[in-house]
Amino acid sequence: MSYRNWVFLSAIIAFSPSVALATIFGNVRGIVHDVQHRPIPGAEVILRARASSLSLTARPNAYGQFVFDTVPAGEYVLEVKAKGFGPFEETVAVASGSAPILHCELEVLRLEQSVRVSAAPETLNTESSAVETLVNRQTIARTPGADRANSMAMITDYVPGAYMVHDMLHIRGGHQVAWEVDGVPVPNTNIASNVGPSFDPLDADYIEGATGGYSAEYGDRTYGVFNVVPRSGFEYNTSGELVASFGNYNQTNDQLSFGGHTDRFAYYGSLDANRSDLGLMTPVSRVLHDMDSGLGAFSSLFLNATPKDQLRLVASMRGDHYQIPNTPEQQAVGIRDLDIERDAFVNFSWIHTFGPGVMLSVSPFYHFNRADYLGGPDDTPFVLNDNRRSNYPGAQVTLNAVVGKQNTEVGLETFDQLDNTFFALNSNPPSGTALEQRLTPSGNLEAAFFQDQYRAASWLSLNGGVRFTRYSGLLNETATSPRLGADVKIPRLQWVLHGYYAQYYQPPPLDTVSGSLLNFAAQQGFGFVPLRGERDRQWDAGVSIPFRGWFLNFDHFRTSAQNFLDHDEIGNSDIFLPLTDLAALIQGNEVILRAPVILRRARVHLAYSNQVAKGLGPITGGLIEFAPTSYFYLDHDQRNTLSAVVSSKLPWRAWATATVEYGSGFLNGNGPAHLAAHTSVDLALGKSFGENWFFDFSALNVANARYLLDNSNTFGGTHYANPREIYGELRYRFRL
């Protein structure tokens, strides 16, 4: 990190007069009172995690008020006990940055005692304008294919408008997605160069997803923000777990994990390995030259050093090896291209509590990312080597005060990007075209933000903030991004109306070309100018409706972008470089439906999106070529996307989950026609044998529907849906 960044960061820590929210955790506060709303001081309030042994205890003050600071995101059970009163329980869903106020009404103890259970994990968060999704560890384990190393099913099955196309996650018409681990950013400004993941889904305790309506804390990636809450060790008792699987295409996903905890310290670690003869999406229905393999290691440490100081460390390393799938013609002539990827990050967080509801969080981080495309010696007409290494040292500081009706947040995020890129292009057969280029560009981002949530009334929450960003790379840019939102809760009906307006700035990749490679691009009819950052305006309005345990959310959004980030290829060289279109317009409607437990056994989750994604030329940055000067459909435009998940408990400690995914078809070539609609069904069955042995069986694309998914000009070109995959998985838990 540059010296200027450290000075800026240190100044904020030393001289900020107010304090704002630590992004890694939520804050749970409430009032304990009797049926006449008189406070009950001295009660015992216990907050227990549903999926681990983490437990926190508090005592209300003379006004019946209590507060839990630094609560990791997830699902909890709040229990209240007081002498002379009946017990109280409430299920609470804690999101990063949230500060829900709970009213715990205790009834005078009678002869017949009962536990009052209110709310559910789907409790409406009336303090947020974002469309949020929370997926827990058990859901990931029981969703077909979701716990595999390279899977994004835990997102595409539960988040509206999320789908995989050309091996990349797309949400709301774009693929610029922000990832955080334990609330700390894992920055990556590159697009179209990585298909491998940064972590294994088996290491996640929860995954928080948000689309739109972000607070000013977020701003570098507009289309989706995902926070991975890792397993901490509180779910283990000095024990471990072995996961082993095997299926067709010689696929296996294996992991050895272990962990444990004391009252103040918890640790978790894992090693994983995966391979398959069906890796990336194939350009034809046959599977040729498509092996992938990977190794990974993950660790999480948690320490309550003092009653006011908490330390957390999360570290990960991954290596992935992909064969680029072939057509029969490519296979016959001996083309054997490879993609080698490496990813590692380490995040450290110090959280200091000054008093009830007042916290400071300091989180330095480092991220390394590599993508290396290796062309085979028989490639024609060019043999390519495209190697990029990116280093991201940085830090995030957030300060928070939850006082009365206000939840105020101020903070800083900054990181440097240091790249080392190498291009080599040789004609085959040799014709004198031999190009080499090594560049070491660098960039820097500094962002300061302020956010305030004001609970004006029990039925009204107002959200406002602003984010100031300075970016320096091939170009220097600044941006001021305001945010404004409101949530209105309709009495009696308990419906929540929400709306927001926001502006975002997304820094561009550092990719550039010069010298002989620039001359080659010119010979192919292309040019290259420095990339500009994408600037977005987003409007959103919707309603959330709870009814007898059911939950329905309807949302309408509209995103207009300037300098829309995309990517294209230089001729047929397999060199993919980013570009920016003059503008883009993406708008749509989204629906989330969650059902309560039906017949004490089954749950239903439905996510639907109807959207249109259009771009507008000419190209304003990056790889310059001809582009229409009127609106055109983007290659990942798909009008209707639906995913439905049905999970059920079965007799004899068994369970079953089925997912149905429907898409109306992506753009066919340059459009405006679209490809045919497609539907696929996945199934998973599982059973536990005692307390330590578990087995499940999964079948993906049960009907073996082979359809053309997309034929866009991007990484690997045309793609077909994956064929049927069948595999079994065995889990064994053991004591250390």
Side-chain angles (χ1 to χ4, degrees):
M1 187 185 299
S2 65
Y3 176 76
R4 181 183 63 254
N5 288 1
W6 284 115
V7 173
F8 187 26
L9 194 154
S10 301
I12 283 191
I13 298 175
F15 299 112
S16 292
S18 61
V19 195
L21 173 65
T23 60
I24 303 174
F25 302 96
N27 175 298
V28 177
R29 52 186 174 149
I31 301 173
V32 180
H33 57 82
D34 61 19
V35 293
Q36 296 181 344
H37 291 273
R38 292 175 298 195
I40 304 176
E44 182 182 22
V45 184
I46 304 172
L47 189 67
R48 292 192 178 93
R50 291 171 61 94
S52 72
S53 60
L54 178 63
S55 179
L56 306 172
T57 303
R59 293 279 182 179
N61 61 17
Y63 299 97
Q65 300 169 335
F66 66 88
V67 61
F68 293 98
D69 295 318
T70 64
V71 180
E75 297 172 348
Y76 294 82
V77 175
L78 182 77
E79 182 180 359
V80 182
K81 298 178 181 179
K83 186 177 181 180
F85 294 87
F88 173 95
E89 279 192 5
E90 181 168 348
T91 303
V92 182
V94 178
S96 297
S98 67
I101 301 176
L102 306 175
H103 285 264
C104 306
E105 182 179 299
L106 274 59
E107 297 180 356
V108 176
L109 187 64
R110 298 176 182 174
L111 183 61
E112 295 182 1
Q113 296 186 15
S114 62
V115 176
R116 175 185 171 188
V117 180
S118 63
E122 293 81 22
T123 298
L124 300 182
N125 182 4
T126 60
E127 298 180 352
S128 173
S129 299
V131 180
E132 298 175 339
T133 304
L134 184 68
V135 181
N136 62 31
R137 183 172 74 247
Q138 185 183 75
T139 299
I140 294 173
R142 296 187 176 184
T143 300
D147 62 353
R148 300 192 301 174
N150 293 320
S151 176
M152 286 292 168
M154 71 281 194
I155 294 175
T156 57
D157 286 345
Y158 295 96
V159 177
Y163 45 78
M164 293 294 294
V165 62
H166 39 260
D167 293 299
M168 296 181 187
L169 177 65
H170 290 67
I171 298 176
R172 285 194 169 188
H175 42 58
Q176 289 85 267
V177 176
W179 288 97
E180 298 189 340
V181 175
D182 230 357
V184 183
V186 183
N188 189 355
T189 68
N190 297 287
I191 63 173
S193 60
N194 283 97
V195 293
S198 294
F199 66 95
D200 191 315
L202 289 171
D203 293 319
D205 197 18
Y206 290 89
I207 295 180
E208 294 181 291
T211 53
Y214 319 124
S215 75
E217 174 191 349
Y218 307 106
D220 298 333
R221 291 293 178 258
T222 298
Y223 299 95
V225 175
F226 295 95
N227 178 33
V228 180
V229 181
R231 301 177 74 167
S232 61
F234 281 106
E235 67 276 9
Y236 284 95
N237 187 18
T238 315
S239 58
E241 184 177 64
L242 176 65
V243 179
S245 69
F246 184 77
N248 63 342
Y249 297 100
N250 296 311
Q251 65 174 288
T252 182
N253 278 262
D254 310 307
Q255 186 192 65
L256 175 65
S257 60
F258 53 89
H261 65 89
T262 64
D263 290 341
R264 296 173 50 200
F265 175 71
Y267 66 93
Y268 169 82
S270 71
L271 299 171
D272 66 84
N274 66 279
R275 79 162 309 278
S276 175
D277 292 331
L278 176 63
L280 302 178
M281 294 178 178
T282 59
V284 294
S285 58
R286 293 180 60 187
V287 180
L288 300 170
H289 191 253
D290 197 20
M291 187 193 78
D292 82 274
S293 60
L295 294 171
F298 187 90
S299 179
S300 172
L301 303 176
F302 177 104
L303 174 65
N304 283 320
T306 72
K308 293 186 177 182
D309 295 281
Q310 188 176 97
L311 306 176
R312 295 187 70 120
L313 177 69
V314 180
S316 172
M317 292 190 299
R318 281 204 61 81
D320 291 281
H321 178 284
Y322 298 94
Q323 293 179 341
I324 305 301
N326 284 335
T327 64
E329 294 77 15
Q330 292 171 327
Q331 187 75 9
V333 299
I335 290 179
R336 301 293 186 268
D337 293 0
L338 300 174
D339 180 43
I340 311 297
E341 299 188 6
R342 300 290 183 266
D343 194 273
F345 64 82
V346 57
N347 299 337
F348 174 78
S349 296
W350 167 52
I351 302 96
H352 179 74
T353 303
F354 293 95
V358 182
M359 293 180 293
L360 163 70
S361 173
V362 179
S363 302
F365 57 80
Y366 170 75
H367 182 210
F368 170 80
N369 181 264
R370 170 193 169 190
D372 190 4
Y373 189 105
L374 299 173
D378 296 320
D379 289 3
T380 56
F382 301 105
V383 178
L384 166 71
N385 183 2
D386 182 0
N387 184 295
R388 174 192 53 78
R389 293 176 172 86
S390 298
N391 295 271
Y392 301 89
Q396 175 180 272
V397 177
T398 54
L399 305 146
N400 175 3
V402 180
V403 180
K405 297 181 179 182
Q406 286 188 284
N407 180 4
T408 304
E409 177 181 17
V410 65
L412 166 72
E413 177 187 343
T414 180
F415 64 82
D416 290 338
Q417 180 177 352
L418 309 172
D419 277 14
N420 189 320
T421 62
F422 174 74
F423 290 99
L425 190 70
N426 297 290
S427 58
N428 187 23
S431 62
T433 301
L435 308 175
E436 287 191 3
Q437 170 184 283
R438 181 175 292 279
L439 296 172
T440 56
S442 62
N444 168 261
L445 180 138
E446 298 167 348
F449 55 87
F450 170 84
Q451 180 74 27
D452 187 65
Q453 298 175 342
Y454 178 65
R455 194 180 182 93
S458 61
W459 53 271
L460 175 62
S461 293
L462 303 175
N463 307 289
V466 62
R467 183 179 179 92
F468 304 98
T469 305
R470 177 187 179 275
Y471 173 77
S472 60
L474 301 181
L475 294 174
N476 295 329
E477 296 184 318
T478 59
T480 300
S481 306
R483 316 284 167 86
L484 182 64
D487 299 87
V488 178
K489 189 173 184 179
I490 301 176
R492 295 187 180 181
L493 289 176
Q494 301 300 306
W495 293 15
V496 177
L497 306 176
H498 60 83
Y500 80 94
Y501 167 78
Q503 294 183 17
Y504 305 100
Y505 169 80
Q506 302 187 63
L510 285 176
D511 293 55
T512 186
V513 296
S514 64
S516 57
L517 185 59
L518 184 60
N519 294 333
F520 171 74
Q523 294 171 8
Q524 300 291 315
F526 297 84
F528 196 93
V529 297
L531 288 153
R532 297 183 178 274
E534 181 176 327
R535 299 173 187 262
D536 303 276
R537 296 175 181 266
Q538 196 168 75
W539 297 262
D540 192 290
V543 57
S544 299
I545 303 174
F547 180 73
R548 296 184 178 180
W550 292 77
F551 172 79
L552 175 67
N553 184 87
F554 173 82
D555 194 71
H556 173 78
F557 73 92
R558 176 187 173 95
T559 302
S560 60
Q562 293 180 324
N563 299 320
F564 177 74
L565 285 167
D566 212 334
H567 46 85
D568 206 349
E569 179 186 20
I570 299 180
N572 57 354
S573 65
D574 284 331
I575 296 180
F576 289 89
L577 293 174
L579 56 82
T580 54
D581 293 320
L582 175 65
L585 177 62
I586 305 169
Q587 56 186 339
N589 301 298
E590 298 175 343
V591 176
I592 296 176
L593 175 65
R594 290 195 294 260
V597 177
I598 301 173
L599 300 177
R600 298 184 179 181
R601 292 190 179 276
R603 283 186 175 272
V604 177
H605 184 285
L606 183 147
Y608 168 75
S609 172
N610 172 270
Q611 70 176 20
V612 175
K614 294 182 177 181
L616 176 67
I619 293 172
T620 58
L623 193 64
I624 300 295
E625 63 168 347
F626 168 78
T629 55
S630 59
Y631 275 106
F632 57 92
Y633 292 112
L634 297 172
D635 57 4
H636 43 254
D637 175 76
Q638 180 169 250
R639 301 298 176 81
N640 297 288
T641 305
L642 170 69
S643 64
V645 183
V646 181
S647 57
S648 176
K649 294 181 179 179
L650 302 177
W652 304 297
R653 304 182 69 177
W655 54 267
T657 304
T659 63
V660 179
E661 296 182 355
Y662 167 82
S664 59
F666 294 102
L667 190 71
N668 188 0
N670 294 324
H674 286 64
L675 298 172
H678 51 83
T679 303
S680 63
V681 178
D682 304 332
L683 295 175
L685 298 171
K687 186 183 185 316
S688 61
F689 298 88
E691 298 299 323
N692 298 323
W693 292 91
F694 307 85
F695 177 78
D696 62 78
F697 169 85
S698 297
L700 311 181
N701 190 6
V702 174
N704 198 29
R706 302 307 314 276
Y707 50 85
L708 180 61
L709 185 65
D710 77 297
N711 52 10
S712 57
N713 181 24
T714 183
F715 192 72
T718 300
H719 302 91
Y720 276 75
N722 284 346
R724 178 169 50 230
E725 298 178 74
I726 299 174
Y727 65 94
E729 183 177 85
L730 181 68
R731 294 172 180 250
Y732 172 62
R733 294 178 182 172
F734 55 90
R735 294 295 300 272
L736 295 175

